[in-house]
Amino acid sequence: MSLTPQQNLRAYVDYLRDLGIYDLYRRDEPQTLLPELLRTAIADSVSRVPMAAPPPVPVARAVSAAAAPLPPRAALPPRPAASTKEASPFDLLASTLSPELAAPMPKPIPFDDLAPLPLKILSPAERPAALEAVRADIGDCTRCPLAYAGRHKIVFADGDPNARLMFVGEGPGADEDASGLPFVGKAGQLLNNMIGAMGLKREEVYIANIVKCRPPGNRTPEPVEANTCTQFLIKQIDIVRPEVIVALGATAATYLLGVKQSLGSLRGRWHSSRGAKVAVTYHPAFLLRDPRQKGEAWKDLQMVMGEMGLKPPAKA
Ligand code: URA
């Protein structure tokens, strides 16, 4: 199902109304003021008709509300032209907000600062059930707007619950959304080759993403989406306890490490997150677009192999 940017925005807005939008642009302002300001701004951006704060609506109703026609527009001044590029609904929404409210989100918070490291490391035998419990907790998730943006399957993870090596990508694409497994499309085939070149099999590593639902049009996850979802990835990392995590691309690096820096400045050295050593490399989808960078990615993987004592497979 492909939504127009306007339908997408509508779905987001309905969802945010259900939540009271207290978290989206929260900064240091008094909490009593912001929701009211946002309600007004969002109501205005959608219908151009001033609305009273809606009564709480069960989340399930947000979906049908999203499909409902927009209310008639009142004769109000035209809103500034909103970009309709592969537009994130948040871009559209932000374009209607005052500069104060539309200011970028504060910097990401490192995974290490989001939750204390668990005192107990689970035994290998306990890990599969612990991961299943996390998956059960996620359920048919409606915690963030991606639940309403056309997702088909929640993509939890794939691989060995006792893996020494974990790969973290950005979020599911179309193939992953259809299958429920991470990295099964073209980028996934390249990732499988990268894993093979390291002397491992896909089943021996653990693969997950920053967000578990497909962002529409494969856009980058919004901070509110990533920040909502990563609580589960943190639990997965804490259960699997990999020695090394490879962050595939800038989004994975940004959220794992809590830094917003160029990939180039993060590659080629070790970072740390949740007790694991973290290496940053190019996302396989980027390598498909620019295969000349494969040699650079191979250098990153060799750094990981050196750390883990891995050898490339013997040539047949
Ligand atoms: N890209 C990602 O970041 N993750 C996937 O699972 C697939 C493509």
Side-chain angles (χ1 to χ4, degrees):
M1 178 178 62
S2 155
L3 301 180
T4 65
Q6 205 56 41
Q7 288 170 317
N8 226 332
L9 173 59
R10 177 66 194 235
Y12 273 61
V13 166
D14 285 329
Y15 176 81
L16 293 170
R17 280 190 192 136
D18 285 348
L19 294 183
I21 33 165
Y22 297 100
D23 282 324
L24 183 52
Y25 287 95
R26 181 163 62 196
R27 297 165 63 207
D28 294 324
E29 292 84 342
Q31 290 303 296
T32 46
L33 180 64
L34 252 189
E36 215 33 64
L37 284 173
L38 283 165
R39 268 198 199 101
T40 314
I42 288 172
D44 187 44
S45 81
V46 171
S47 67
R48 311 295 293 165
V49 179
M51 281 180 207
V57 181
V59 166
R61 271 182 48 203
V63 178
S64 53
L70 296 175
R73 282 165 180 249
L76 286 169
R79 75 173 115 156
S83 161
T84 52
K85 59 179 163 83
E86 258 319 302
S88 142
F90 281 91
D91 293 339
L92 292 172
L93 189 54
S95 73
T96 68
L97 298 175
S98 71
E100 153 81 335
L101 287 176
M105 294 286 287
K107 22 186 225 117
I109 301 168
F111 271 19
D112 280 352
D113 294 349
L114 286 172
L117 266 182
L119 297 175
K120 182 174 180 255
I121 297 180
L122 295 185
S123 72
E126 289 173 309
R127 293 176 191 180
L131 288 171
E132 273 167 34
V134 177
R135 179 62 191 91
D137 185 19
I138 293 172
D140 192 16
C141 186
T142 54
R143 293 169 181 85
C144 99
L146 290 180
Y148 299 96
R151 109 172 156 219
H152 292 100
K153 290 207 171 144
I154 294 173
V155 178
F156 183 65
D158 193 23
D160 182 358
N162 294 302
R164 295 175 63 207
L165 176 60
M166 180 183 288
F167 288 89
V168 176
E170 178 174 299
D175 294 312
E176 293 77 18
D177 177 59
S179 69
L181 288 170
F183 282 101
V184 291
K186 287 210 172 86
Q189 284 164 21
L190 179 54
L191 178 62
N192 291 347
N193 293 342
M194 290 158 69
I195 295 167
M198 298 174 80
L200 292 169
K201 298 194 186 80
R202 180 180 164 109
E203 312 80 79
E204 291 175 309
V205 304
Y206 193 79
I207 307 174
N209 282 306
I210 292 294
V211 293
K212 299 194 183 329
C213 296
R214 183 187 183 202
N218 297 342
R219 64 162 169 74
T220 305
E222 293 292 342
V224 68
E225 296 158 352
N227 290 333
T228 304
C229 205
T230 49
Q231 58 181 305
F232 300 109
L233 179 57
I234 289 173
K235 288 184 184 152
Q236 289 169 281
I237 297 171
D238 288 349
I239 292 167
V240 176
R241 276 292 181 137
E243 289 162 37
V244 173
I245 299 174
V246 176
L248 298 168
T251 302
T254 297
Y255 288 98
L256 277 166
L257 306 176
V259 294
K260 209 152 174 41
Q261 285 175 22
S262 73
L263 209 66
S265 69
L266 296 170
R267 290 183 48 238
R269 58 196 171 97
W270 287 108
H271 308 266
S272 101
S273 183
R274 310 303 299 170
K277 294 188 110 180
V278 177
V280 174
T281 193
Y282 294 113
H283 192 287
F286 170 78
L287 295 174
L288 289 173
R289 289 195 297 277
D290 188 356
R292 287 168 308 176
Q293 303 304 326
K294 283 185 180 175
E296 288 298 302
W298 180 233
K299 285 185 200 160
D300 300 330
L301 299 183
Q302 282 177 313
M303 182 176 95
V304 172
M305 291 163 68
E307 173 67 27
M308 298 182 67
L310 299 172
K311 300 256 173 302
K315 291 222 167 87

PDB file of all heavy atoms in Angstrom, residues 164-165 194-200 244 270 298-313:
ATOM      1  N   ARG A 164      28.654 -14.072  18.212  1.00  0.00           N
ATOM      2  CA  ARG A 164      29.748 -13.192  18.664  1.00  0.00           C
ATOM      3  C   ARG A 164      29.718 -11.865  17.917  1.00  0.00           C
ATOM      4  O   ARG A 164      30.313 -10.895  18.348  1.00  0.00           O
ATOM      5  CB  ARG A 164      31.101 -13.874  18.390  1.00  0.00           C
ATOM      6  CG  ARG A 164      31.345 -15.138  19.182  1.00  0.00           C
ATOM      7  CD  ARG A 164      32.664 -15.774  18.723  1.00  0.00           C
ATOM      8  NE  ARG A 164      33.806 -14.911  18.996  1.00  0.00           N
ATOM      9  CZ  ARG A 164      34.951 -14.926  18.303  1.00  0.00           C
ATOM     10  NH1 ARG A 164      35.116 -15.755  17.287  1.00  0.00           N
ATOM     11  NH2 ARG A 164      35.940 -14.118  18.614  1.00  0.00           N
ATOM     12  N   LEU A 165      29.060 -11.886  16.753  1.00  0.00           N
ATOM     13  CA  LEU A 165      29.089 -10.708  15.877  1.00  0.00           C
ATOM     14  C   LEU A 165      27.654 -10.315  15.505  1.00  0.00           C
ATOM     15  O   LEU A 165      26.856 -11.182  15.112  1.00  0.00           O
ATOM     16  CB  LEU A 165      29.882 -11.055  14.608  1.00  0.00           C
ATOM     17  CG  LEU A 165      29.952  -9.996  13.513  1.00  0.00           C
ATOM     18  CD1 LEU A 165      30.604  -8.707  14.013  1.00  0.00           C
ATOM     19  CD2 LEU A 165      30.750 -10.544  12.310  1.00  0.00           C
ATOM     20  N   MET A 194      29.342 -10.379   2.283  1.00  0.00           N
ATOM     21  CA  MET A 194      30.328  -9.775   3.194  1.00  0.00           C
ATOM     22  C   MET A 194      30.581 -10.712   4.375  1.00  0.00           C
ATOM     23  O   MET A 194      31.725 -10.926   4.805  1.00  0.00           O
ATOM     24  CB  MET A 194      29.812  -8.399   3.688  1.00  0.00           C
ATOM     25  CG  MET A 194      29.809  -7.331   2.594  1.00  0.00           C
ATOM     26  SD  MET A 194      28.676  -5.932   2.907  1.00  0.00           S
ATOM     27  CE  MET A 194      29.427  -5.097   4.263  1.00  0.00           C
ATOM     28  N   ILE A 195      29.502 -11.281   4.898  1.00  0.00           N
ATOM     29  CA  ILE A 195      29.636 -12.208   6.038  1.00  0.00           C
ATOM     30  C   ILE A 195      30.455 -13.427   5.607  1.00  0.00           C
ATOM     31  O   ILE A 195      31.354 -13.884   6.330  1.00  0.00           O
ATOM     32  CB  ILE A 195      28.236 -12.627   6.561  1.00  0.00           C
ATOM     33  CG1 ILE A 195      27.508 -11.409   7.137  1.00  0.00           C
ATOM     34  CG2 ILE A 195      28.338 -13.747   7.591  1.00  0.00           C
ATOM     35  CD1 ILE A 195      26.020 -11.632   7.395  1.00  0.00           C
ATOM     36  N   GLY A 196      30.154 -13.937   4.410  1.00  0.00           N
ATOM     37  CA  GLY A 196      30.889 -15.101   3.880  1.00  0.00           C
ATOM     38  C   GLY A 196      32.373 -14.795   3.728  1.00  0.00           C
ATOM     39  O   GLY A 196      33.235 -15.625   4.048  1.00  0.00           O
ATOM     40  N   ALA A 197      32.670 -13.581   3.244  1.00  0.00           N
ATOM     41  CA  ALA A 197      34.077 -13.208   3.044  1.00  0.00           C
ATOM     42  C   ALA A 197      34.825 -13.130   4.371  1.00  0.00           C
ATOM     43  O   ALA A 197      36.057 -13.199   4.410  1.00  0.00           O
ATOM     44  CB  ALA A 197      34.148 -11.867   2.311  1.00  0.00           C
ATOM     45  N   MET A 198      34.084 -12.967   5.451  1.00  0.00           N
ATOM     46  CA  MET A 198      34.713 -12.919   6.780  1.00  0.00           C
ATOM     47  C   MET A 198      34.905 -14.320   7.355  1.00  0.00           C
ATOM     48  O   MET A 198      35.349 -14.481   8.493  1.00  0.00           O
ATOM     49  CB  MET A 198      33.840 -12.095   7.751  1.00  0.00           C
ATOM     50  CG  MET A 198      33.665 -10.658   7.349  1.00  0.00           C
ATOM     51  SD  MET A 198      32.491  -9.807   8.426  1.00  0.00           S
ATOM     52  CE  MET A 198      33.515  -9.444   9.833  1.00  0.00           C
ATOM     53  N   GLY A 199      34.504 -15.317   6.589  1.00  0.00           N
ATOM     54  CA  GLY A 199      34.674 -16.699   7.048  1.00  0.00           C
ATOM     55  C   GLY A 199      33.528 -17.158   7.941  1.00  0.00           C
ATOM     56  O   GLY A 199      33.661 -18.128   8.689  1.00  0.00           O
ATOM     57  N   LEU A 200      32.398 -16.456   7.862  1.00  0.00           N
ATOM     58  CA  LEU A 200      31.238 -16.836   8.680  1.00  0.00           C
ATOM     59  C   LEU A 200      30.044 -17.158   7.788  1.00  0.00           C
ATOM     60  O   LEU A 200      30.020 -16.796   6.604  1.00  0.00           O
ATOM     61  CB  LEU A 200      30.856 -15.676   9.607  1.00  0.00           C
ATOM     62  CG  LEU A 200      31.849 -15.326  10.718  1.00  0.00           C
ATOM     63  CD1 LEU A 200      31.466 -13.994  11.370  1.00  0.00           C
ATOM     64  CD2 LEU A 200      31.893 -16.432  11.770  1.00  0.00           C
ATOM     65  N   VAL A 244      31.312  -8.014  19.104  1.00  0.00           N
ATOM     66  CA  VAL A 244      31.481  -6.920  18.145  1.00  0.00           C
ATOM     67  C   VAL A 244      30.146  -6.640  17.456  1.00  0.00           C
ATOM     68  O   VAL A 244      29.399  -7.565  17.117  1.00  0.00           O
ATOM     69  CB  VAL A 244      32.553  -7.279  17.083  1.00  0.00           C
ATOM     70  CG1 VAL A 244      32.608  -6.220  15.982  1.00  0.00           C
ATOM     71  CG2 VAL A 244      33.928  -7.430  17.736  1.00  0.00           C
ATOM     72  N   TRP A 270      37.723   1.893  16.627  1.00  0.00           N
ATOM     73  CA  TRP A 270      36.743   1.195  17.460  1.00  0.00           C
ATOM     74  C   TRP A 270      35.934   2.181  18.298  1.00  0.00           C
ATOM     75  O   TRP A 270      36.456   3.173  18.791  1.00  0.00           O
ATOM     76  CB  TRP A 270      37.445   0.191  18.395  1.00  0.00           C
ATOM     77  CG  TRP A 270      37.933  -1.008  17.651  1.00  0.00           C
ATOM     78  CD1 TRP A 270      39.225  -1.326  17.355  1.00  0.00           C
ATOM     79  CD2 TRP A 270      37.129  -2.044  17.088  1.00  0.00           C
ATOM     80  NE1 TRP A 270      39.289  -2.498  16.644  1.00  0.00           N
ATOM     81  CE2 TRP A 270      38.005  -2.962  16.460  1.00  0.00           C
ATOM     82  CE3 TRP A 270      35.758  -2.298  17.029  1.00  0.00           C
ATOM     83  CZ2 TRP A 270      37.571  -4.102  15.804  1.00  0.00           C
ATOM     84  CZ3 TRP A 270      35.314  -3.438  16.373  1.00  0.00           C
ATOM     85  CH2 TRP A 270      36.205  -4.325  15.776  1.00  0.00           C
ATOM     86  N   TRP A 298      35.693  -3.438   2.955  1.00  0.00           N
ATOM     87  CA  TRP A 298      36.479  -4.642   3.257  1.00  0.00           C
ATOM     88  C   TRP A 298      37.545  -4.334   4.303  1.00  0.00           C
ATOM     89  O   TRP A 298      37.805  -5.136   5.199  1.00  0.00           O
ATOM     90  CB  TRP A 298      37.057  -5.203   1.956  1.00  0.00           C
ATOM     91  CG  TRP A 298      37.878  -6.446   2.115  1.00  0.00           C
ATOM     92  CD1 TRP A 298      39.147  -6.648   1.654  1.00  0.00           C
ATOM     93  CD2 TRP A 298      37.498  -7.669   2.770  1.00  0.00           C
ATOM     94  NE1 TRP A 298      39.588  -7.909   1.983  1.00  0.00           N
ATOM     95  CE2 TRP A 298      38.597  -8.566   2.670  1.00  0.00           C
ATOM     96  CE3 TRP A 298      36.358  -8.110   3.446  1.00  0.00           C
ATOM     97  CZ2 TRP A 298      38.579  -9.847   3.211  1.00  0.00           C
ATOM     98  CZ3 TRP A 298      36.330  -9.385   3.992  1.00  0.00           C
ATOM     99  CH2 TRP A 298      37.425 -10.245   3.876  1.00  0.00           C
ATOM    100  N   LYS A 299      38.131  -3.131   4.232  1.00  0.00           N
ATOM    101  CA  LYS A 299      39.109  -2.738   5.274  1.00  0.00           C
ATOM    102  C   LYS A 299      38.434  -2.738   6.649  1.00  0.00           C
ATOM    103  O   LYS A 299      39.003  -3.177   7.643  1.00  0.00           O
ATOM    104  CB  LYS A 299      39.650  -1.331   5.001  1.00  0.00           C
ATOM    105  CG  LYS A 299      40.638  -1.242   3.877  1.00  0.00           C
ATOM    106  CD  LYS A 299      41.191   0.185   3.810  1.00  0.00           C
ATOM    107  CE  LYS A 299      41.797   0.450   2.443  1.00  0.00           C
ATOM    108  NZ  LYS A 299      41.925   1.862   2.114  1.00  0.00           N
ATOM    109  N   ASP A 300      37.205  -2.216   6.697  1.00  0.00           N
ATOM    110  CA  ASP A 300      36.477  -2.184   7.983  1.00  0.00           C
ATOM    111  C   ASP A 300      36.227  -3.602   8.490  1.00  0.00           C
ATOM    112  O   ASP A 300      36.382  -3.897   9.682  1.00  0.00           O
ATOM    113  CB  ASP A 300      35.123  -1.457   7.823  1.00  0.00           C
ATOM    114  CG  ASP A 300      35.288  -0.023   7.351  1.00  0.00           C
ATOM    115  OD1 ASP A 300      36.331   0.593   7.677  1.00  0.00           O
ATOM    116  OD2 ASP A 300      34.382   0.480   6.661  1.00  0.00           O
ATOM    117  N   LEU A 301      35.842  -4.484   7.557  1.00  0.00           N
ATOM    118  CA  LEU A 301      35.549  -5.860   7.974  1.00  0.00           C
ATOM    119  C   LEU A 301      36.837  -6.580   8.397  1.00  0.00           C
ATOM    120  O   LEU A 301      36.817  -7.401   9.319  1.00  0.00           O
ATOM    121  CB  LEU A 301      34.851  -6.624   6.839  1.00  0.00           C
ATOM    122  CG  LEU A 301      33.498  -6.043   6.402  1.00  0.00           C
ATOM    123  CD1 LEU A 301      32.864  -6.914   5.328  1.00  0.00           C
ATOM    124  CD2 LEU A 301      32.536  -5.892   7.592  1.00  0.00           C
ATOM    125  N   GLN A 302      37.937  -6.240   7.753  1.00  0.00           N
ATOM    126  CA  GLN A 302      39.211  -6.860   8.162  1.00  0.00           C
ATOM    127  C   GLN A 302      39.605  -6.423   9.570  1.00  0.00           C
ATOM    128  O   GLN A 302      40.167  -7.203  10.336  1.00  0.00           O
ATOM    129  CB  GLN A 302      40.301  -6.498   7.152  1.00  0.00           C
ATOM    130  CG  GLN A 302      40.194  -7.331   5.889  1.00  0.00           C
ATOM    131  CD  GLN A 302      41.217  -6.930   4.859  1.00  0.00           C
ATOM    132  OE1 GLN A 302      41.389  -5.741   4.584  1.00  0.00           O
ATOM    133  NE2 GLN A 302      41.889  -7.898   4.282  1.00  0.00           N
ATOM    134  N   MET A 303      39.270  -5.181   9.908  1.00  0.00           N
ATOM    135  CA  MET A 303      39.533  -4.722  11.273  1.00  0.00           C
ATOM    136  C   MET A 303      38.741  -5.609  12.264  1.00  0.00           C
ATOM    137  O   MET A 303      39.258  -6.038  13.305  1.00  0.00           O
ATOM    138  CB  MET A 303      39.117  -3.249  11.407  1.00  0.00           C
ATOM    139  CG  MET A 303      39.388  -2.631  12.749  1.00  0.00           C
ATOM    140  SD  MET A 303      38.974  -0.863  12.776  1.00  0.00           S
ATOM    141  CE  MET A 303      37.314  -0.914  13.424  1.00  0.00           C
ATOM    142  N   VAL A 304      37.492  -5.901  11.893  1.00  0.00           N
ATOM    143  CA  VAL A 304      36.648  -6.754  12.745  1.00  0.00           C
ATOM    144  C   VAL A 304      37.219  -8.171  12.810  1.00  0.00           C
ATOM    145  O   VAL A 304      37.310  -8.783  13.881  1.00  0.00           O
ATOM    146  CB  VAL A 304      35.193  -6.778  12.195  1.00  0.00           C
ATOM    147  CG1 VAL A 304      34.343  -7.789  12.938  1.00  0.00           C
ATOM    148  CG2 VAL A 304      34.581  -5.382  12.271  1.00  0.00           C
ATOM    149  N   MET A 305      37.628  -8.678  11.654  1.00  0.00           N
ATOM    150  CA  MET A 305      38.171 -10.045  11.619  1.00  0.00           C
ATOM    151  C   MET A 305      39.422 -10.164  12.489  1.00  0.00           C
ATOM    152  O   MET A 305      39.608 -11.148  13.209  1.00  0.00           O
ATOM    153  CB  MET A 305      38.487 -10.436  10.172  1.00  0.00           C
ATOM    154  CG  MET A 305      37.235 -10.616   9.336  1.00  0.00           C
ATOM    155  SD  MET A 305      37.585 -10.598   7.569  1.00  0.00           S
ATOM    156  CE  MET A 305      38.497 -12.102   7.378  1.00  0.00           C
ATOM    157  N   GLY A 306      40.275  -9.133  12.419  1.00  0.00           N
ATOM    158  CA  GLY A 306      41.493  -9.142  13.242  1.00  0.00           C
ATOM    159  C   GLY A 306      41.131  -9.205  14.715  1.00  0.00           C
ATOM    160  O   GLY A 306      41.711  -9.978  15.488  1.00  0.00           O
ATOM    161  N   GLU A 307      40.145  -8.424  15.105  1.00  0.00           N
ATOM    162  CA  GLU A 307      39.725  -8.382  16.509  1.00  0.00           C
ATOM    163  C   GLU A 307      39.159  -9.730  16.964  1.00  0.00           C
ATOM    164  O   GLU A 307      39.384 -10.168  18.091  1.00  0.00           O
ATOM    165  CB  GLU A 307      38.662  -7.276  16.663  1.00  0.00           C
ATOM    166  CG  GLU A 307      37.992  -7.197  18.014  1.00  0.00           C
ATOM    167  CD  GLU A 307      38.967  -6.766  19.111  1.00  0.00           C
ATOM    168  OE1 GLU A 307      39.949  -6.066  18.803  1.00  0.00           O
ATOM    169  OE2 GLU A 307      38.722  -7.156  20.274  1.00  0.00           O
ATOM    170  N   MET A 308      38.417 -10.379  16.039  1.00  0.00           N
ATOM    171  CA  MET A 308      37.712 -11.605  16.427  1.00  0.00           C
ATOM    172  C   MET A 308      38.500 -12.867  16.083  1.00  0.00           C
ATOM    173  O   MET A 308      38.025 -13.979  16.338  1.00  0.00           O
ATOM    174  CB  MET A 308      36.336 -11.654  15.738  1.00  0.00           C
ATOM    175  CG  MET A 308      35.420 -10.506  16.143  1.00  0.00           C
ATOM    176  SD  MET A 308      33.810 -10.636  15.379  1.00  0.00           S
ATOM    177  CE  MET A 308      33.162 -12.092  16.172  1.00  0.00           C
ATOM    178  N   GLY A 309      39.666 -12.695  15.485  1.00  0.00           N
ATOM    179  CA  GLY A 309      40.466 -13.875  15.098  1.00  0.00           C
ATOM    180  C   GLY A 309      39.814 -14.660  13.972  1.00  0.00           C
ATOM    181  O   GLY A 309      39.934 -15.886  13.924  1.00  0.00           O
ATOM    182  N   LEU A 310      39.122 -13.970  13.066  1.00  0.00           N
ATOM    183  CA  LEU A 310      38.474 -14.660  11.945  1.00  0.00           C
ATOM    184  C   LEU A 310      39.404 -14.673  10.744  1.00  0.00           C
ATOM    185  O   LEU A 310      40.158 -13.727  10.520  1.00  0.00           O
ATOM    186  CB  LEU A 310      37.168 -13.947  11.560  1.00  0.00           C
ATOM    187  CG  LEU A 310      36.087 -13.876  12.640  1.00  0.00           C
ATOM    188  CD1 LEU A 310      34.946 -12.974  12.165  1.00  0.00           C
ATOM    189  CD2 LEU A 310      35.555 -15.261  12.960  1.00  0.00           C
ATOM    190  N   LYS A 311      39.293 -15.734   9.960  1.00  0.00           N
ATOM    191  CA  LYS A 311      40.109 -15.844   8.731  1.00  0.00           C
ATOM    192  C   LYS A 311      39.167 -15.980   7.550  1.00  0.00           C
ATOM    193  O   LYS A 311      38.139 -16.649   7.644  1.00  0.00           O
ATOM    194  CB  LYS A 311      40.980 -17.110   8.788  1.00  0.00           C
ATOM    195  CG  LYS A 311      41.953 -17.153   9.954  1.00  0.00           C
ATOM    196  CD  LYS A 311      43.382 -16.850   9.479  1.00  0.00           C
ATOM    197  CE  LYS A 311      44.386 -16.715  10.595  1.00  0.00           C
ATOM    198  NZ  LYS A 311      44.129 -15.718  11.586  1.00  0.00           N
ATOM    199  N   PRO A 312      39.506 -15.366   6.413  1.00  0.00           N
ATOM    200  CA  PRO A 312      38.660 -15.564   5.241  1.00  0.00           C
ATOM    201  C   PRO A 312      38.639 -17.034   4.851  1.00  0.00           C
ATOM    202  O   PRO A 312      39.610 -17.749   5.136  1.00  0.00           O
ATOM    203  CB  PRO A 312      39.314 -14.703   4.143  1.00  0.00           C
ATOM    204  CG  PRO A 312      40.582 -14.211   4.698  1.00  0.00           C
ATOM    205  CD  PRO A 312      40.686 -14.572   6.149  1.00  0.00           C
ATOM    206  N   PRO A 313      37.567 -17.504   4.211  1.00  0.00           N
ATOM    207  CA  PRO A 313      37.508 -18.928   3.859  1.00  0.00           C
ATOM    208  C   PRO A 313      38.610 -19.273   2.856  1.00  0.00           C
ATOM    209  O   PRO A 313      38.944 -18.426   2.016  1.00  0.00           O
ATOM    210  CB  PRO A 313      36.121 -19.099   3.238  1.00  0.00           C
ATOM    211  CG  PRO A 313      35.697 -17.716   2.844  1.00  0.00           C
ATOM    212  CD  PRO A 313      36.425 -16.760   3.729  1.00  0.00           C
TER     213      PRO A 313
END
